[in-house]
Amino acid sequence: MSAQHPLQFVPAAEFKQRSVDATSDAHLRQSFRGAMDFLMAKRAAQFPDDASLQRQRAIAEAIRQYSLARLPDLLEQLERNLTAKGVQVHWAENAEEANAIIVGIAQRHSAKLMVKGKSMVSEETELNHAMEAAGIAALESDMGEYIVQLDGEKPSHIIMPAIHKTKQQIARLFAEKVPGVSYTESVDELIGIGRAVLREKFMHADIGLSGVNFAVAETGTLCLVENEGNGRMCTTVPDVHVAITGIEKVVEKLEHVPPLYGLLTRSATGQAITTYFNMIGGPRKGGADGKGAELDGPKEVHLVLLDNGRTQAYADEQMRATLQCIRCGACMNHCPVYTRIGGHAYGTTYPGPIGEIISPHMMGLAATHALPTASSLCGACGEVCPVKIPIPDLLIRLRGEATHEARPGHAPLVGQGAARSALMDAVWAGWAALYTRPALYRAFGWLATRFRFLTPPTQSGWTVSRTPLKPAARTLREQLAERRRKTH
Amino acid sequence: MHREITRDPRPKDVYFFATCLVDLFCPEAGMDAIELLEREGIAVHFPENQTCCGQPAYTSGYADEARAVAQVQMALFPEDWPIVVPSGSCAGMMRHHYHKLFADDASLKAKADALAERVFELSEFLLEVLAVQWKESSTGRRPTTVALHTSCSARREMGTHVHARALLDSLPGVTVVTQSHESECCGFGGTFSLKHPAISGAMAGDKADALKESGAETFLSADCGCLLNINHTLQKRKDAFQGKHLATFLRERTEPAGTGDEA
């Protein structure tokens, strides 16, 4: 893996160039189009009855809003109940703190190898780099994650990390990077190669790391959704299991999980249910006097609860909805922009529509202000979101926050006003001056039509792929006036 | 999204909110829309002081500027008549977003909500309120195949994609074909097309391809923003395939039942 991680810090200006490069990459365009079409069709097949889907969405939204409304209490309840079951709970305000906690746990155990189940939060903290810096190997065991790690990349999709790669690219990568492997395009053989490597590592790993899909406060249960069984291996085979999650993933009751789980898998991969659903309730029990001691499972379980900007979103009544997300990825699957540019162009851990509204809280608006503008506001994301996050409204809100000072009574966001430009302020002030003065606007229309021959041949971004916009010979209002003159 | 509409009593007067794009770039679509209403015996009132619904500033994050412009429009419709808009996007702004724009001012919000009740997208008004009965015009007898591109606002905010489609399906001799990725955005998005020309252009190009590959003779849309986006993309390719506003197509192909030779 490269020592310099190219995607760690992403100045906003680079998003635009990357998106331009991506749209002109025919191969990338074709592969994302095909993959997203496949995922959209799979999801649609799971929701044949729209009325039923809308009922389920309303329930899921209510559960997430209910949970968020009680978040501080639920987190404390979760900590109490997990602690009682022997789980050590850690709080991390940012990525560095989270990584330091996990490196510390590893060092206490003199760990040399960590195996990882799929965890986007650990991607968010770039944990692998922190582990590497501490001299501890961290190996991804989800097949997609394993592939992108082998190639020194980040995931391009939160559910399907290697979706940008073709079978041939993976075949070449394995032949090149996995010792003793020759080139094969057989998917079964490729999976077999990965499995053989990983099985060996599971046996010898000192620590297993996983994410969390739902943390149940009332029972102190960590729920983990997965298909490959690697999550179960990571959380049961090594002596130490560390789970990491964002603070928003908590729900109050066990009965809150099934409605969310059912929508998560259907929305994400079009599965009615995943192959594995793990409910983790703590380390193996010792038993009094060594009697009745459990013989398997980790001896130590830790949970790291990460903030990393989430409380900024939480503090705002409207932007709190961002935290309703259950990370299904449906918004990216249905996003016409994501489909055109792929996940890497965003330069963030979470790409696509959800990434556009959550990354500003994690990374600040100075680095991310271009992201909320990369949307036609078509609404496809909001339409499919299983927990009804009003993504287009939040994009508009962040566009405003990026170009303005904080509103009265609102705390400034990190990077508040980072995209503020005197030129754009003047453009919009001029626009408002014109459109609030009907007489001036009519004069403008009169002039624009009379001098339409002066229409500039290049019009900012418009004419890159379009002919110039040219006013009509006469405005509608003039044509109507003309018609009135003729008939009277 | 979809709302219950009462047809009784049938309105005698309507306001017409043309939208800034129709006024300056697609006036023929506005004239055709007005004619479709007038030939139903409706008096169409065009408030002279109308400019723009305010959407460009609103979606760009310039809420104060959007509010200032929206307030000017809100003062234009004193009578309790329906407000007909030949655009799903601008109608969506007035029906759904004025409410949010004026959320902090109780009296303006109440005004915005009252206005929202009276805002209709053209095809929705023709079908739901007027329940138009048409027959083929003399130019409407030639069989043709069309594709319909519905704007995202019309589809996801207004739910009026069903109305445009139903109007077309009612026309004999008109075959509506469905292009691939029908519900996907054409990439206009207002200032998005200026800010991210590569992404927007890629979307517009794919939409133009899909419409062409549908085999339709022409394509229709009830939104001028989409039409300008797709048509100018095709023009840049020197392609003669062009779309037109739904109102223009309906006006050309039909006349009210009970007129002409069958009257």
Side-chain angles (χ1 to χ4, degrees):
Chain A
M1 187 168 290
S2 59
Q4 188 70 34
H5 11 111
L7 297 172
Q8 189 178 33
F9 179 72
V10 187
E14 288 177 17
F15 167 75
K16 192 148 178 184
Q17 188 53 50
R18 277 196 311 274
S19 72
V20 171
D21 295 345
T23 53
S24 53
D25 181 340
H27 163 73
L28 180 138
R29 288 271 297 279
Q30 200 186 353
S31 77
F32 271 94
R33 170 94 275 174
M36 298 306 110
D37 283 352
F38 174 74
L39 289 167
M40 286 193 286
K42 291 259 287 177
R43 174 190 174 275
Q46 287 290 337
F47 297 117
D49 177 4
D50 189 60
S52 161
L53 169 61
Q54 298 316 328
R55 278 195 301 277
Q56 293 175 57
R57 291 176 78 219
I59 292 167
E61 178 193 29
I63 292 172
R64 291 301 298 137
Q65 288 180 345
Y66 175 90
S67 310
L68 289 172
R70 290 156 184 76
L71 187 60
D73 291 344
L74 292 185
L75 284 167
E76 284 182 14
Q77 189 185 10
L78 177 72
E79 182 180 29
R80 273 197 311 278
N81 287 330
L82 282 173
T83 306
K85 294 164 92 173
V87 178
Q88 300 174 47
V89 178
H90 311 263
W91 301 83
E93 195 169 319
N94 52 41
E96 290 72 30
E97 280 187 26
N99 290 345
I101 290 164
I102 297 169
V103 167
I105 295 167
Q107 284 171 339
R108 270 200 304 285
H109 290 273
S110 306
K112 294 189 176 54
L113 174 64
M114 168 187 270
V115 283
K116 293 181 69 200
K118 194 169 155 16
S119 156
M120 287 309 294
V121 175
S122 77
E123 293 286 347
E124 189 184 323
T125 68
E126 305 204 325
L127 174 65
N128 294 359
H129 299 294
M131 298 301 282
E132 196 180 20
I136 304 158
L139 181 73
E140 298 289 350
S141 66
D142 171 272
M143 190 56 63
E145 291 277 354
Y146 175 69
I147 292 164
V148 295
Q149 185 184 31
L150 211 52
D151 213 6
E153 291 182 319
K154 273 202 158 194
S156 60
H157 189 286
I158 65 167
I159 301 293
M160 280 137 295
I163 196 124
H164 57 288
K165 281 201 167 348
T166 60
K167 193 168 60 179
Q168 291 75 16
Q169 287 173 320
I170 296 166
R172 273 196 300 276
L173 179 70
F174 277 26
E176 194 183 308
K177 298 274 177 77
V178 183
V181 164
S182 50
Y183 184 92
T184 173
E185 287 186 12
S186 156
V187 174
D188 286 345
E189 283 181 34
L190 288 168
I191 290 173
I193 293 165
R195 183 180 288 134
V197 171
L198 294 168
R199 285 280 149 165
E200 173 68 16
K201 301 288 185 183
F202 285 129
M203 307 285 284
H204 298 106
D206 309 291
I207 298 190
L209 184 122
S210 77
V212 176
N213 292 91
F214 313 105
V216 184
E218 198 177 68
T219 56
T221 309
L222 305 177
C223 303
L224 183 63
V225 176
E226 52 140 351
N227 275 314
E228 297 175 14
N230 65 309
R232 183 156 299 173
M233 298 290 270
C234 288
T235 57
T236 55
V237 179
D239 277 348
V240 181
H241 167 215
V242 179
I244 181 168
T245 192
I247 51 170
E248 80 281 18
K249 288 286 180 68
V250 63
V251 295
E252 185 183 20
K253 295 167 186 291
L254 218 43
E255 69 203 55
H256 291 157
V257 172
L260 297 175
Y261 178 38
L263 278 177
L264 170 62
T265 61
R266 287 179 166 87
S267 302
T269 49
Q271 291 173 281
I273 194 163
T274 44
T275 321
Y276 293 86
F277 182 74
N278 305 282
M279 300 174 78
I280 298 155
R284 72 169 76 169
K285 293 190 182 77
D289 309 326
K291 286 175 192 158
E294 290 178 349
L295 298 176
D296 60 4
K299 292 172 182 160
E300 235 180 82
V301 175
H302 299 261
L303 173 67
V304 179
L305 288 160
L306 176 68
D307 181 343
N308 200 29
R310 287 164 175 81
T311 48
Q312 175 177 287
Y314 188 78
D316 182 272
E317 196 187 347
Q318 185 187 18
M319 291 190 287
R320 179 178 290 185
T322 312
L323 304 179
Q324 286 165 216
C325 180
I326 55 172
R327 303 284 190 270
C328 71
C331 60
M332 49 202 81
N333 299 346
H334 291 74
C335 176
V337 173
Y338 178 89
T339 302
R340 300 294 178 311
I341 65 176
H344 285 155
Y346 293 84
T348 51
T349 301
Y350 306 95
I354 183 63
E356 291 172 3
I357 60 168
I358 200 161
S359 303
H361 299 293
M362 294 173 171
M363 302 165 76
L365 276 166
T368 59
H369 63 76
L371 299 179
T373 69
S375 165
S376 65
L377 302 176
C378 77
C381 49
E383 186 180 37
V384 298
C385 177
V387 291
K388 299 179 75 171
I389 301 172
I391 299 176
D393 285 348
L394 294 169
L395 290 169
I396 292 172
R397 171 72 189 277
L398 286 165
R399 290 176 184 188
E401 302 300 339
T403 51
H404 294 80
E405 299 304 314
R407 310 179 202 181
H410 288 261
L413 304 179
V414 174
Q416 177 83 38
R420 183 147 203 190
S421 117
L423 174 66
M424 287 317 291
D425 286 354
V427 165
W428 287 112
W431 177 87
L434 179 63
Y435 287 87
T436 49
R437 291 173 177 77
L440 188 63
Y441 170 75
R442 282 195 291 274
F444 164 75
W446 192 93
L447 286 166
T449 49
R450 270 24 171 226
F451 292 94
R452 62 199 290 259
F453 61 89
L454 293 177
T455 300
T458 56
Q459 300 170 344
S460 176
W462 179 264
T463 42
V464 172
S465 59
R466 303 173 191 85
T467 52
L469 278 177
K470 195 174 179 180
R474 290 292 179 270
T475 60
L476 175 69
R477 66 190 65 230
E478 280 195 80
Q479 293 191 32
L480 281 172
E482 178 70 12
R483 195 184 68 163
R484 273 197 299 274
R485 274 197 297 279
K486 279 182 183 160
T487 49
H488 291 294
Chain B
M1 190 168 69
H2 192 77
R3 62 175 177 181
E4 289 301 311
I5 292 166
T6 50
R7 286 179 189 164
D8 198 44
R10 186 183 165 97
K12 295 187 181 64
D13 297 88
V14 300
Y15 287 115
F16 190 73
F17 186 79
T19 81
C20 59
L21 285 184
V22 166
D23 189 29
L24 195 58
F25 295 108
C26 317
E28 66 291 342
M31 294 301 283
D32 291 328
I34 289 168
E35 191 182 324
L36 285 176
L37 294 165
E38 286 180 339
R39 71 186 201 184
E40 298 295 319
I42 307 247
V44 179
H45 302 266
F46 182 91
E48 278 297 319
N49 282 346
Q50 61 180 277
T51 59
C52 167
C53 65
Q55 185 173 187
Y58 174 71
T59 54
S60 298
Y62 284 78
D64 289 340
E65 289 78 0
R67 259 188 292 275
V69 170
Q71 259 186 278
V72 172
Q73 319 310 313
M74 278 161 63
L76 298 174
F77 313 104
E79 302 294 336
D80 190 29
W81 300 330
I83 302 158
V84 181
V85 187
S87 156
S89 179
C90 310
M93 176 71 192
M94 298 168 87
R95 193 189 289 174
H96 297 292
H97 297 286
Y98 278 12
H99 172 85
K100 300 172 192 166
L101 201 50
F102 296 106
D104 292 337
D105 184 320
S107 104
L108 282 171
K109 191 170 127 201
K111 220 173 146 183
D113 290 348
L115 182 94
E117 287 297 306
R118 292 195 281 141
V119 170
F120 293 87
E121 188 272 336
L122 175 71
S123 64
E124 173 190 36
F125 189 77
L126 291 172
L127 198 68
E128 296 268 349
V129 181
L130 300 184
V132 288
Q133 300 290 322
W134 289 336
K135 62 175 187 173
E136 290 170 340
S137 68
S138 54
T139 53
R141 299 214 170 106
R142 191 180 63 82
T144 186
T145 303
V146 299
L148 175 66
H149 170 70
T150 304
S151 78
C152 297
S153 318
R155 180 183 302 279
R156 302 198 178 90
E157 284 184 356
M158 298 291 287
T160 53
H161 54 306
V162 293
H163 302 103
R165 180 68 195 242
L167 284 169
L168 290 173
D169 284 344
S170 75
L171 303 181
V174 175
T175 306
V176 185
V177 292
T178 304
Q179 66 277 21
S180 81
H181 298 93
E182 183 202 8
S183 62
E184 191 176 80
C185 176
C186 72
F188 177 56
T191 51
F192 168 73
S193 62
L194 306 177
K195 271 203 153 104
H196 296 283
I199 306 171
S200 168
M203 290 162 69
D206 288 349
K207 184 58 74 182
D209 289 341
L211 288 164
K212 273 206 74 133
E213 285 159 15
S214 74
E217 197 178 339
T218 185
F219 72 94
L220 310 172
S221 180
D223 270 87
C224 273
C226 308
L227 281 171
L228 291 168
N229 182 39
I230 303 166
N231 280 346
H232 285 258
T233 297
L234 287 159
Q235 284 168 22
K236 182 95 170 188
R237 298 174 176 183
K238 309 210 183 306
D239 194 320
F241 183 64
Q242 291 280 286
K244 58 171 85 167
H245 197 281
L246 178 73
T248 299
F249 183 78
L250 293 175
R251 202 267 305 149
E252 285 171 355
R253 301 272 315 183
T254 65
E255 56 193 43
T259 56
D261 51 7
E262 283 170 30

